[in-house]
């Protein structure tokens, strides 16, 4: 009996890379998928120059990224190393070994092409009925940015720094006065310290000016697009809040965006974008409480998007006074009736209160009302503010209450994908700076996720057939047509009339 032994290192071995890559390996799926993409039409620069060193094909580098993003190999250095030591990557790139710099530049220089590729993929999925476009759910997740918390400032933080510096300068100056008779060395040291603090003060003053000029509430020095966000419970860090739309049929990603710190003003943009991309006349949209904003729900309603967004409690519900629910609204007369059965009228003017546009309702009956103590602390009596979007909000609330089971689908449709991206694939931080480049990473991640999900939905063999057919048909039908993707939605007509009819006719069991 002996231990299991490896091979003899000195033995010459004939090795076939093809045999070393599993039949259903991720590398093979990525290979077929990228070969089926119309690379130059999607915006990848695949032009050969007459002089200089030949470039790498964009499809090879995209394959490398799609392989790496699924396998938690995201940095250009890790990908460079993988090209030398990882058998699957060597097979995928046919032995090419691009430098880390080449790899990094490809990602940095192609943000629009990554976005187009993801959207093209989503359109393919829609045409193949893998995305239904009936119900979508929108939610967000946070990732850390390439910007430390130390390099993120708001007015309060700047004020704190300036106050500390002023205190320090005063302290050193006081010491200088007291130690007037002491040796020169000590005086010199204190003067240096004062000079250093004054330089720091200048620095913070310049940041303050930059912040005021930007009109924003915070400023990040390393990555100007990154914002201070709450990552988890009370943990604050500088990062991005990534919006993600998912389709209800197979829980596939359909679109993404970033920019806002929270979800309050993200609903309409995301829902309208999804509706336009999927080319549907109407769509249902499920979101949590964070997205419930009157103006957005109203915009969605006007654009044939039916929202099911968890209603927010009225702010007056926690203050111990008469609850807003006790005031009955009369739609016909545009009045409220209060608990003491008095009518509150409005003069019809629309006031702007912070970012909200509201109408105010009053009654003179508050003076001498027996319920006044319980109803208001305002000397002028109780008044009610009604958002001009209240009707849309109430309709939304009614829909959520009438369809609790349907609303509960939201969590099933969106949240588990974030766990896969963050916990399994390590997407808890971005390597890039700037919104556009960060979205390149998000698009890559979402393409990988959708492709991996297709492996589960269709089975590896059917997916391979599908991608092979797509590749063949694209190369033999689309290439001679010379598609112009500059107007992206012209593509849809071409797809309808050509590629997907042929694919459907192949009767693949999807
Ligand atoms: S205080 Fe005014 S609004 Fe409140 S119950 Fe009395 S009359 Fe009605």
């Amino acid at each position: 009996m002996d231990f299991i032994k490896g091979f003899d290192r000195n033995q010459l071995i004939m090795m076939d890379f093809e045999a070393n890559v599993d039949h259903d390996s991720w590398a093979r799926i990525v290979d077929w998928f990228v070969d089926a993409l119309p690379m130059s039409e999607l915006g990848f620069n695949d032009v050969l120059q007459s002089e200089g060193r030949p470039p790498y094909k964009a499809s090879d580098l995209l394959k490398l990224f799609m392989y790496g993003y699924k396998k938690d190999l995201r940095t250009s250095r890790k990908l460079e190393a993988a090209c030398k030591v990882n058998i699957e990557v060597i097979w995928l790139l046919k032995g090419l070994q691009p430098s880390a710099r080449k790899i990094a530049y490809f990602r940095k220089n192609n943000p629009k092409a990554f976005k187009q590729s993801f959207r093209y993929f989503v359109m393919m999925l829609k045409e193949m009925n893998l995305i239904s476009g009936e119900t979508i759910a929108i939610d967000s997740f946070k990732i850390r940015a390439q910007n430390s918390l130390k390099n993120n400032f708001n007015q309060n933080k700047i004020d704190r720094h300036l106050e500390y510096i002023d205190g320090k300068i005063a302290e050193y100056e006081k010491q200088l006065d007291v130690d007037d008779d002491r040796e020169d060395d000590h005086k010199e040291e204190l003067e240096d310290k004062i000079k250093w603090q004054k330089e720091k003060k200048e620095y913070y003053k310049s940041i303050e000016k930059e912040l005021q000029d930007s009109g924003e509430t915070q400023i990040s020095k390393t990555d100007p697009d990154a914002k201070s966000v709450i990552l988890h419970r009370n943990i604050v860090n500088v990062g991005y809040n990534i919006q993600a739309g998912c389709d209800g049929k197979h829980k596939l990603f359909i679109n993404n965006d970033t920019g806002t710190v929270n979800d309050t003003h993200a609903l309409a943009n995301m829902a309208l974008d999804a509706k336009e991309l999927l080319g549907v006349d109407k769509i249902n949209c499920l979101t949590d409480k964070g997205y419930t904003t009157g103006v957005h729900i109203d915009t969605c309603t006007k654009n044939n998007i039916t929202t099911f967004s968890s209603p927010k409690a009225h702010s007056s519900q926690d203050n111990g006074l008469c609850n807003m629910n006790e005031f009955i609204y009369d739609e016909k007369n545009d009045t409220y009736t209060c608990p003491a059965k008095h009518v509150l009228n409005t003069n019809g003017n629309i006031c702007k209160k912070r970012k909200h546009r509201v109408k105010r309702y009053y009654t003179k009956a508050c003076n001498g009302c027996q319920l006044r103590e319980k109803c208001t602390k305002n000397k002028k009596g109780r008044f009610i503010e009604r958002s001009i979007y209240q009707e849309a909000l109430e309709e939304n609330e009614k829909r959520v209450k009438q369809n609790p089971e349907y609303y509960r689908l939201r969590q099933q449709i969106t949240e588990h994908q974030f766990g896969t991206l963050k916990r399994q694939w390590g997407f808890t931080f971005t390597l890039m700076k700037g919104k556009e480049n960060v979205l390149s990473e998000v698009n890559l991640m979402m393409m990988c996720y959708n492709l991996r999900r297709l492996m589960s939905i269709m089975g590896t063999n059917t997916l391979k057939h599908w991608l092979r057919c797509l590749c063949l048909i694209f190369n033999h039908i689309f290439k001679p047509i010379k598609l112009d993707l500059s107007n992206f939605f012209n593509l849809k007509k071409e797809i309808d009339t050509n590629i997907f009819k042929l694919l459907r006719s192949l009767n693949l069991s999807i």
Side-chain angles (χ1 to χ4, degrees), residues 133-251:
E134 286 166 14
T135 300
I136 60 162
I138 297 168
D139 208 348
S140 66
F141 63 99
K142 276 114 179 162
I143 54 172
R144 290 169 68 175
Q146 292 291 320
N147 192 105
S148 72
L149 201 51
K150 234 170 78 180
N151 280 325
N152 173 272
F153 301 92
N154 57 25
Q155 192 58 53
N156 285 345
K157 194 170 176 182
I158 295 170
D159 288 345
R160 271 202 314 274
H161 279 295
L162 290 174
E163 195 183 323
Y164 174 81
I165 291 168
D166 285 340
K168 278 285 170 192
I169 292 173
E171 187 187 319
Y172 296 143
E173 282 175 346
K174 201 172 162 190
Q175 279 183 36
L176 260 183
D177 292 343
V178 174
D179 300 352
D180 222 10
D181 304 333
R182 286 176 67 175
E183 68 276 18
D184 284 349
D185 275 2
H186 187 66
K187 271 174 76 180
E188 218 170 277
E189 191 189 328
L190 284 171
E191 277 163 6
D192 282 349
K193 281 182 178 174
I194 291 170
K195 193 179 162 206
W196 164 240
Q197 292 296 342
K198 282 186 176 168
E199 280 170 10
K200 268 172 61 181
K201 190 172 176 177
E202 281 303 306
Y203 172 68
Y204 288 117
K205 282 279 180 196
S206 71
I207 293 175
E208 187 175 32
K209 186 168 183 315
E210 220 177 302
L211 178 66
Q212 283 162 1
D213 290 348
S214 71
E216 299 281 336
T217 52
Q218 55 173 296
I219 190 170
S220 297
K221 294 298 288 175
T222 319
D223 178 358
D225 288 349
K227 298 272 184 305
S228 167
V229 292
I230 299 169
L231 283 187
H232 178 64
R233 296 185 191 273
N234 293 329
I235 303 168
V236 177
N237 218 313
V238 185
Y240 284 90
N241 186 31
I242 309 288
Q243 298 295 333
C246 299
D247 183 68
K249 188 169 181 183
H250 287 302
K251 285 84 177 166

Side-chain angles (χ1 to χ4, degrees), residues 327 338-340 342 344 363 365-366 369 371-372 375-376 382:
F327 290 76
C338 72
H342 293 292
L344 284 79
T363 175
C366 294
C369 170
L371 295 178
R372 183 166 179 150
C375 187
T376 182
R382 176 98 185 221

Side-chain angles (χ1 to χ4, degrees), residues 464-493:
K464 274 179 192 171
H465 285 307
W466 184 59
L467 291 173
R468 262 183 187 167
C469 293
L470 204 60
C471 183
L472 279 173
I473 293 166
F474 175 76
N475 284 322
H476 291 94
I477 297 176
F478 263 9
K479 279 278 164 73
I481 293 173
K482 282 208 171 170
L483 264 184
D484 175 16
L485 298 194
S486 52
N487 181 354
F488 198 75
F489 290 97
N490 281 344
L491 170 67
K492 192 172 176 307
K493 286 182 202 154

Side-chain angles (χ1 to χ4, degrees), residues 128-130 250 457-458 462 466 508-510:
M128 293 304 292
N129 286 333
L130 289 160
H250 287 302
I457 297 165
M458 299 164 84
T462 315
W466 184 59
L508 294 175
S509 54
I510 294 166

